[in-house]
């Protein structure tokens, strides 16, 4: 699943923080490169304004994407 800055996503229920909404917006993407691997870490903002760090495995669905086909 490809996430981009500005994407609005829905988190899987087990990743919802402190009773907040499961909807958040990706605001930053960080990549980490190893010798034979590349990993992505996403900073997302919840509707409460709280920032969280997630990976792609936390995302249930992309509600709105900045990627245009």
């Amino acid at each position: 699943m490809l996430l981009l800055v500005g994407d609005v996503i829905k988190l899987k229920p087990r990743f919802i923080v402190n009773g907040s909404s499961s909807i958040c917006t990706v605001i930053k993407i960080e990549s980490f490169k190893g010798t034979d691997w590349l990993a992505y870490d996403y900073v997302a903002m919840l509707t409460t304004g709280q920032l969280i760090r997630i990976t792609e495995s936390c995302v249930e669905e992309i509600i709105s994407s900045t990627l245009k086909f």
Side-chain angles (χ1 to χ4, degrees):
M1 178 181 307
L2 176 65
L3 296 176
L4 301 171
V5 171
D7 284 357
V8 177
I9 57 174
K10 180 179 180 182
L11 298 176
K12 292 178 181 176
R14 67 176 178 257
F15 298 109
I16 297 172
V17 180
N18 298 331
S20 66
S21 169
S22 62
I23 307 301
C24 58
T25 304
V26 177
I27 60 168
K28 186 176 181 181
I29 301 172
E30 296 179 350
S31 62
F32 303 95
K33 186 176 181 182
T35 53
D36 293 324
W37 54 271
L38 180 64
Y40 292 100
D41 184 41
Y42 301 91
V43 178
M45 182 183 293
L46 297 166
T47 56
T48 61
Q50 182 179 2
L51 299 178
I52 58 171
R53 287 188 170 276
I54 60 169
T55 62
E56 292 170 344
S57 65
C58 299
V59 178
E60 184 171 305
E61 70 176 297
I62 299 173
I63 295 172
S64 175
S65 179
T66 55
L67 182 62
K68 304 295 182 205
F69 293 99

